[in-house]
């Protein structure tokens, strides 16, 4: 499959996913319709599928306009069904979604919101993780508990190490600086901070990341238990 980042708002990535064999195209979390429709049209792709990870408006705000323009079918978390505009197919843990011959498995990853799900295309080694895991970071706990998020991150970290993780925001520089402050003696984190600083200074995206890189440098995966995780998350909430 071919995956294209469509930047939106100040730091969102909306993901267009094209399956060449079938011509089917998915958009993951269309917070805004116009840039997504323009990016698809520029490539001659027809959007057939909308995949929502959670209800936040910067992930779902373009659902109805994309659906009206293309007739796309909307998939999203069953636990947030009443807050996903235009939802056709509510999904829960271990459900499956097809894009042509490609199949994604749904992984329930509550924490940022209570119904948050991720889409794992095992055949392509790709996962769309929304606002659950970020490069060197994780989403804020708006609805869920530290226990839920700790478990959700561990589930994503347990995917095969070469799995590419497509998160929904460019937060890596702030995350890397926080990680370097929380683990000042860690060489892997220090090295990745340098790489991220160079990439951002040159205007390059730092997403996708992959499971191996997150296992090595994501500070939230260093937490040995829920208490440690909760302390780290709280410290990041106040980090500037
Ligand atoms: Zn969110």
């Amino acid at each position: 499959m071919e995956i294209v980042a469509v930047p939106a708002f100040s730091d969102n990535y909306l993901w267009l996913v094209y399956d060449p064999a079938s011509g089917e195209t998915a958009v993951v979390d269309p917070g805004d319709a116009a840039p997504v429709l323009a990016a698809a049209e520029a490539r001659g792709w027809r959007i057939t599928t909308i995949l929502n990870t959670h209800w936040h408006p910067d992930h779902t705000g373009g659902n109805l306009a994309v659906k009206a323009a293309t007739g796309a079918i909307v998939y999203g978390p069953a636990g947030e069904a009443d807050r996903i505009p235009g939802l056709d197919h509510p999904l829960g843990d271990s459900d499956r979604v097809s894009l042509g011959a490609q199949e994604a498995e749904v992984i329930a990853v509550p924490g940022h919101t209570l119904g948050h799900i991720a889409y794992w295309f095992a055949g392509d080694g790709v996962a769309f993780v929304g606002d659950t895991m970020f490069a060197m970071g994780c989403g804020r706990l708006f609805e869920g508990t530290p226990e839920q998020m700790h478990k959700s991150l561990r589930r994503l970290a347990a995917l095969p190490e070469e799995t590419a993780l497509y998160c929904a925001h460019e937060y890596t520089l702030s995350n890397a600086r926080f990680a370097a402050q929380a683990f000042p003696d860690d060489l892997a984190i220090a090295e990745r901070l340098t790489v991220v600083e160079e990439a951002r200074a040159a205007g390059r995206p730092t997403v996708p990341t992959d499971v191996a890189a997150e296992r090595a440098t994501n500070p939230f995966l260093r937490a040995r238990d829920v208490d440690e995780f909760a302390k780290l998350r709280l410290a990041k909430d106040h980090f500037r």
Side-chain angles (χ1 to χ4, degrees):
M1 55 176 56
E2 206 173 314
I3 302 172
V4 169
V6 181
F9 311 118
S10 57
D11 50 35
N12 283 68
Y13 292 126
L14 322 181
W15 299 106
L16 272 180
V17 187
Y18 175 66
D19 173 45
S22 65
E24 290 192 19
T25 305
V27 55
V28 182
D29 285 345
D32 192 5
V36 162
L37 292 170
E41 193 183 322
R43 290 168 178 80
W45 298 350
R46 191 176 59 86
I47 297 174
T48 53
T49 308
I50 293 172
L51 303 176
N52 288 132
T53 62
H54 66 296
W55 69 269
H56 284 164
D58 62 319
H59 296 252
T60 58
N63 275 18
L64 293 180
V66 172
K67 192 176 181 179
T70 62
I73 308 293
V74 182
Y75 296 84
E80 301 174 359
D82 54 338
R83 291 194 280 186
I84 307 284
L87 181 65
D88 295 301
H89 291 288
L91 299 170
D93 193 54
S94 76
D95 282 345
R96 287 169 184 278
V97 191
S98 305
L99 185 73
Q102 316 294 329
E103 201 174 48
E105 181 181 331
V106 173
I107 304 174
V109 284
H112 178 69
T113 64
L114 283 176
H116 200 305
I117 56 176
Y119 297 88
W120 175 37
F121 288 87
D124 278 74
V126 164
F128 296 93
V129 299
D131 289 355
T132 298
M133 190 181 289
F134 294 119
M136 304 186 82
C138 74
R140 279 178 187 260
L141 300 179
F142 285 119
E143 297 177 8
T145 63
E147 286 86 347
Q148 287 174 316
M149 186 57 121
H150 188 237
K151 186 177 169 201
S152 295
L153 293 174
R154 293 173 84 93
R155 279 193 79 180
L156 295 177
L159 294 175
E161 66 173 6
E162 66 279 9
T163 307
L165 300 173
Y166 287 79
C167 24
H169 290 275
E170 178 63 66
Y171 288 161
T172 317
L173 185 54
S174 164
N175 289 340
R177 287 175 175 157
F178 171 74
Q181 181 187 281
F183 297 93
D185 301 327
D186 192 293
L187 205 60
I189 287 174
E191 281 173 0
R192 195 172 179 194
L193 171 59
T194 303
V195 170
V196 168
E197 282 173 338
E198 286 171 4
R200 294 309 295 152
R204 289 196 307 273
T206 62
V207 181
T209 177
D210 62 38
V211 168
E214 296 315 308
R215 285 184 197 162
T217 59
N218 191 312
F220 296 101
L221 295 177
R222 300 285 175 86
R224 280 163 298 192
D225 56 32
V226 173
D227 283 349
E228 258 188 47
F229 171 76
K231 277 184 197 142
L232 268 177
R233 185 56 260 181
L234 196 65
K236 178 63 170 74
D237 289 346
H238 300 289
F239 179 73
R240 290 283 176 278

